[in-house]
Every structure is written in C-alpha cells, then in structure tokens.
Amino acid sequence: MPPDTHTAVLGRRAALKATGLAGLALGLSACGRGFGGGDDADQGSVTLNMVWWGDAKRAQKTQAALDLFQRKHPGVTVRVEYQDSAPYKDKLATRFAAGDPPDLMAMRVDSLREYADRGSLLDLGAHSGALDLTGLSESARTLATVGDKTFGVPSGLNSIGFVVNRTLTDRYGVQVPNGDTWSWEDLAGFARQVTAKSGRKVYGTGFEPQTMANLLVFSRQRGEDFFTVDGALGVSEGTVTAWFEMVQRMRDEGGFPPAGFFEESGASAAQSYLAKGTLASQIIPTNNFLSYNEAAGGNLALLRIPGEVQGRRRGQSIDTPALWSIASASKHRDEALKLLDFLVNDAEAAKATGTTRGVPANQRIAETVKPTLEPDDQTATEYLIGLQGEQLPRSYTYPPGGSAIAASLETIATEVEFKRRSAAEGARAFVAEARKALTK
C-alpha cells in the first residue's frame, strides 16, 4: 500500500488516506538551507542532506534518532527538512532535475520506479556489506525491488486493517464478526444491523472505494494483481465492476453512508466520522491505529480485511508508508549507507522514532521495541508481525504512471458513487485510463 502508504495512497477524503501526512514545511535545528542540498562545512567532516515528508511529531522523533547517530559518528552532520507530502514530491523532482539530489530521502512508493528507471537511485542490494537487510522478511525486503535490484528500504511497515467501534456495537447489541474469517457479505450484514438498530444514527461501515490500496486487496482476493510483476495492469474490468457494485449494494441497503458523505470529513483521525460516532467501522492504515483509537474513545477492535478466507488467495500484503532511498549521485554514499543501516538495524534508533512511520522493518527490532510502545501501537505491531508470518502475496512496485492511475480511480469512483456512470461503465473507463497512463 503505497502507501501512506501507505499509501501513500489515497483519495479525496483525507480521513481515509493510507498515510496521515500533514503540516507545513518546517526547518529543524540541523537544517541550514532547507531543501537545497548539503555542504561539508568543515574540512574532514561530512554533511548529509536528508529529506522526508511528515508532521512535527514525526520530525521530533526522527531528530531524536539522528541525534543518536551523530553522537556515535561525530564526523557526520545530518541536515534535514520535512515537508507536507504534496510539495515534497514536486521539490524532490526539482532537486533531481537541477542535479542536486539529497543524499538520503523518503521516497513515495508510487514514485520509486520513475527514479529507479532513470538511474537516479543507488542499488542498495550491491552494498550488502554496508547495509544489512537480513533482518527483514522477504515481503518487506522486496517492497522496493525492481528486477534484481533494490532501490529502497521500508521506513516502517504497515498494512490496512478494519477497525470496529465496540462501544457502538455494544450499545446497539450488534455482535462484532470474527475478524479472522469474515467475508464481505458478513461485513454487509453487520453494517445493516448497526444502521437499523441505531435508528440510522450510525452507519455500520464506510470506506473509500476510490482508495487504490483497498481495491488492491480486493483484486488479489479475486486472483488478480493490480499491477503485475512486469509493470502491467493486472486488474480486470470484471473485478473493478464487482468492487463498485459491492459498495453500491451496501449503500442501497443502508449499511453504507450515502453518496457525498465523506466529503464533509476532516483530514485527521479526530475529525473522522469514526471519532464522531456516526460510523461504526472503516478501513484504516494500521500505523494510524493509535490515533484513531484515541479519537474514537479507545475501544476499537483491529480486524483483518473481510474476504481473506473466502477469496481465491490472500489479499492483504505487507506495505510501507514510505521508503528510504539514496541518490546514486550522492557524494557521501558510505555515510548515507551508514545512516540508513543505523535507522534500520539499531534498536535505540527504532525506540526513538517509534511507529511514526509504521512498525520497524527489521523483525528483531520490532520485537525488541514492542514492549516500549503505547498499547495501541503494540496492537498494530502484533498485527504486522502476525501478517509477516503468514503466506501473503508480494506487493509489486508501482510502475511509472501509477500515481496517475490513482487519480483516475478517484475521479471515476466518484462518478459511480453519484450514479453518473454505472459500475460497469466506470470500470471500463478506469481500465482504459489506467492502461493509457502506463504507456505514456
């Protein structure tokens, strides 16, 4: 899930996005020139330029880890800047176009191939002596693999999960389904009950049909990869039609909110309908479980996505809100690799950053850090650790054009939602647009 996922992922209503990124550009204490590259101020010392997107909380925790690194490596200074996700993408492109890329950078999952195919990123797999990735599961290690090369490391792991507000289900006497075995039909039945027993004060469920991460899971359950290993579109019109029809059916039955409902939701977990108590369940990125649970009153259950047992194969996968990549043109390759290895494999660094970017990618580090986390983060960590022990399909790297596909899905799904197109017409248009985007 490309995240942010997760992900990096998603649609017009930020409340259901796979990454909860917000905030204005803000320089940190070690940031001398912002998004403008790094210089070596003193002879004999090295200054790395490191950039990412995110909010102030993420920046503070990241800086704590960087402070640890710099104490251990006094000859290296890390100059940083973080941005909101939208300007970040544009500014990063500008840096590369100007021949002044950062040394170490957060990379969007849907942008990786575009940079990798141009030779702009370092093949990390060729530097296994400096960067140890043996602690990562196969599903995590291959998230940024293109062919036989590796161009990134997950900055943290996440997936999508289904949360149910047990306070509401207890109030209205509706049983929470078995989250390990439930089907989409079970979800629809649960949602109908909540809506009916609450007198339509609460809708049973709601999620974004235009969020690509959600459709990715549904596609896999039907035996299709949304993107294939060779970068083609794998999802069929039939699957997209079935996805739109399933949501519309739940909406017609009353378990799902009416068209336009989510237009009014805010960007944060606190502004979500789940927090307001007018929605009993929804899909969230697992790294946001703590914030949603706090906002919703602290009684959310974290379940698997419906249909995992009934589908042709598993739909869920291990994903990341963002990747760490190193510019192939970095003048300080060795130091950048050393910093990246520290962020991936050092337990103290992982404790400092917490789960602001998801569960640590190194499984041993994740187990080490888990007892130090907030209970809700422990729940999300156990969820991810459990998934990595199961046989899940690989999440393939987005091909060039993938981000344009997400925009098409958002537009067309909205037209289907408001019945300006039928489900089949929307699916046909989406597949045509997606294929066109991949050939540009």
Side-chain angles (χ1 to χ4, degrees):
M1 168 176 57
D4 203 20
T5 1
H6 161 312
T7 175
V9 208
L10 318 178
R12 71 182 186 274
R13 295 154 233 179
L16 299 180
K17 287 182 177 179
T19 52
L21 304 177
L24 300 174
L26 182 64
L28 297 177
S29 58
C31 180
R33 294 172 297 124
F35 228 126
D39 287 331
D40 299 338
D42 302 313
Q43 190 172 7
S45 66
V46 168
T47 299
L48 291 176
N49 181 214
M50 177 182 176
V51 300
W52 71 82
W53 72 83
D55 58 16
K57 180 180 179 182
R58 177 179 288 177
Q60 290 167 356
K61 287 181 172 290
T62 302
Q63 189 61 48
L66 296 179
D67 290 344
L68 290 172
F69 176 81
Q70 290 173 115
R71 281 200 289 273
K72 291 184 177 182
H73 303 87
V76 181
T77 299
V78 185
R79 301 179 70 87
V80 299
E81 185 175 348
Y82 64 99
Q83 298 272 320
D84 190 26
S85 58
Y88 179 88
K89 183 177 181 179
D90 292 340
K91 289 190 175 184
L92 188 64
T94 300
R95 286 284 299 273
F96 274 94
D100 182 32
D103 299 292
L104 179 64
M105 73 210 80
M107 176 61 63
R108 288 167 55 109
V109 174
D110 61 1
S111 297
L112 180 98
R113 281 288 298 270
E114 296 176 28
Y115 286 94
D117 288 351
R118 290 199 297 265
S120 300
L121 302 180
L122 187 68
D123 175 15
L124 302 176
H127 298 275
S128 58
L131 176 62
D132 182 6
L133 299 181
T134 58
L136 279 65
S137 66
E138 176 73 12
S139 53
R141 193 168 56 251
T142 57
L143 279 171
T145 297
V146 180
D148 60 353
K149 298 181 178 179
T150 300
F151 295 104
V153 181
S155 60
L157 300 178
N158 74 347
S159 185
I160 58 173
F162 220 103
V163 290
V164 176
N165 189 331
R166 289 176 296 205
T167 297
L168 294 177
T169 56
D170 289 347
R171 180 182 303 165
Y172 299 116
V174 179
Q175 185 175 359
V176 177
N178 184 328
D180 291 331
T181 61
W182 65 334
S183 66
W184 290 102
E185 289 73 22
D186 293 332
L187 169 64
F190 163 80
R192 287 195 303 270
Q193 287 186 63
V194 172
T195 303
K197 291 188 175 183
S198 70
R200 302 186 71 84
K201 293 179 181 176
V202 179
Y203 290 102
T205 195
F207 53 84
E208 291 278 15
Q210 60 266 47
T211 295
M212 209 152 78
N214 301 341
L215 180 54
L216 277 162
V217 173
F218 187 75
S219 302
R220 292 195 196 101
Q221 290 178 346
R222 290 171 60 93
E224 299 172 358
D225 287 311
F226 193 92
F227 295 123
T228 64
V229 64
D230 57 354
L233 187 74
V235 67
S236 68
E237 283 186 24
T239 288
V240 181
T241 299
W243 175 247
F244 288 153
E245 287 180 339
M246 182 182 72
V247 173
Q248 188 58 50
R249 193 160 50 246
M250 286 193 282
R251 181 175 285 124
D252 291 342
E253 294 170 349
F256 203 96
F261 181 82
F262 289 111
E263 296 288 356
E264 304 300 323
S265 65
S268 68
Q271 295 170 316
S272 69
Y273 286 112
L274 197 69
K276 295 173 183 175
T278 52
L279 197 68
S281 67
Q282 70 173 69
I283 297 173
I284 66 164
T286 55
N287 59 318
N288 289 348
F289 179 67
L290 186 153
S291 60
Y292 273 96
N293 200 21
E294 285 182 345
N299 199 21
L300 295 184
L302 178 59
L303 313 181
R304 306 293 176 87
I305 298 297
E308 289 287 276
V309 172
Q310 297 78 17
R312 295 179 189 173
R313 59 176 171 139
R314 298 292 303 275
Q316 291 202 252
S317 60
I318 301 299
D319 297 297
T320 181
L323 301 154
W324 289 126
S325 295
I326 295 175
S328 58
S330 170
K331 298 176 182 177
H332 307 301
R333 177 180 302 180
D334 292 345
E335 290 79 8
L337 285 164
K338 188 176 295 183
L339 174 56
L340 181 52
D341 186 78
F342 177 79
L343 294 173
V344 172
N345 296 312
D346 188 278
E348 294 305 313
K351 289 177 183 176
T353 55
T355 57
T356 56
R357 291 185 174 84
V359 173
N362 183 316
Q363 294 186 93
R364 177 181 58 79
I365 298 297
E367 290 281 7
T368 301
V369 169
K370 189 176 70 172
T372 70
L373 302 175
E374 295 284 338
D376 289 340
D377 277 341
Q378 290 189 34
T379 298
T381 299
E382 289 169 359
Y383 186 95
L384 262 293
I385 290 174
L387 281 180
Q388 289 184 85
E390 301 170 12
Q391 188 169 0
L392 300 177
R394 179 182 163 185
S395 185
Y396 292 119
T397 308
Y398 279 36
S403 56
I405 289 175
S408 293
L409 178 60
E410 181 175 339
T411 299
I412 292 170
T414 302
E415 293 178 350
V416 174
E417 177 180 339
F418 285 94
K419 298 187 176 181
R420 293 192 286 268
R421 293 183 193 232
S422 70
E425 290 170 344
R428 190 177 311 120
F430 169 72
V431 169
E433 289 289 330
R435 287 176 176 160
K436 183 178 177 182
L438 294 182
T439 58
K440 285 183 177 178

